[in-house]
Amino acid sequence: MARTHTVIASPLGDLTAVAEDGVLCGLYFERHLRGPVPQERGTYDESGFEEVRRQLGEYFAGERTRFELPLAPRGDEFQRRVWRLLEEIPFGETRSYGDLARRLGNVSLAQAVGAANARNPLSVIVPCHRVVGADGGLTGYAGGLERKRFLLDLEEPADRKAARLF
């Protein structure tokens, strides 16, 4: 298994993209909680990340609402189930941890959903930033709450933005 990484500039700072055998398995912010240590990123290589770079650029420019990339996140079965649910949250919408737990068939799984969400290795692309507290408030985010707010603002529909007072 060949692991490589590159750095991609974004409005939120540099993102480190990691691939195994050419398939994206991680996307991490600078100072990302639970991100890989440098030796787990593989060798630095600019090639093979062109499509990731292009789609992220389109997303941050407001031109893309869904990523279409082959992904290989590493996690246990429960984490992968949660991450698949994250991918189903529509652009511009949010869900609570409890909402996701209910989708898994057991509302008491909300904390476990939160733990799996926190270990999502594909920030932005697998939209863990779209998960909020039961009251709609922002809760933890491995990239920091300022980045989470930025991403949610970026995705907020224009009509909803216009209706806000502040």
Side-chain angles (χ1 to χ4, degrees):
M1 160 176 46
R3 195 174 257 232
T4 58
H5 76 279
T6 194
V7 176
I8 300 171
S10 85
L12 296 170
D14 288 343
L15 295 165
T16 298
V18 181
E20 286 182 358
D21 296 328
V23 179
L24 192 67
C25 63
L27 186 68
Y28 305 95
F29 292 106
E30 295 174 284
R31 296 177 302 284
H32 189 104
L33 298 176
R34 296 174 214 75
V37 295
Q39 58 269 30
E40 293 176 345
R41 295 176 187 163
T43 56
Y44 183 83
D45 190 347
E46 287 288 321
S47 65
F49 293 95
E50 297 82 8
E51 189 63 15
V52 176
R53 185 175 272 106
R54 183 182 71 77
Q55 289 190 32
L56 283 168
E58 291 171 354
Y59 170 80
F60 286 118
E63 300 165 356
R64 174 172 289 278
T65 61
R66 184 168 183 79
F67 291 95
E68 297 167 358
L69 298 164
L71 305 174
R74 291 198 167 224
D76 63 36
E77 180 55 34
F78 181 79
Q79 290 169 330
R80 290 191 310 272
R81 286 176 59 206
V82 171
W83 300 338
R84 284 190 296 270
L85 287 178
L86 298 177
E87 292 182 280
E88 294 175 11
I89 302 172
F91 182 90
E93 295 184 23
T94 60
R95 300 290 184 270
S96 71
Y97 298 100
D99 292 335
L100 297 178
R102 274 188 285 287
R103 291 277 318 275
L104 293 170
N106 186 345
V107 73
S108 68
L109 292 174
Q111 284 186 319
V113 166
N117 196 56
R119 285 174 174 66
N120 169 26
L122 289 158
S123 295
V124 182
I125 292 173
V126 175
C128 54
H129 59 276
R130 295 179 189 158
V131 182
V132 297
D135 65 356
L138 296 187
T139 57
Y141 186 61
L145 290 181
E146 290 176 8
R147 288 179 174 133
K148 184 172 188 166
R149 170 52 53 206
F150 178 95
L151 293 168
L152 291 173
D153 286 348
L154 176 72
E155 295 183 4
E156 187 175 24
D159 60 332
R160 203 174 315 148
K161 279 184 189 179
R164 275 195 286 136
L165 295 176
F166 301 101

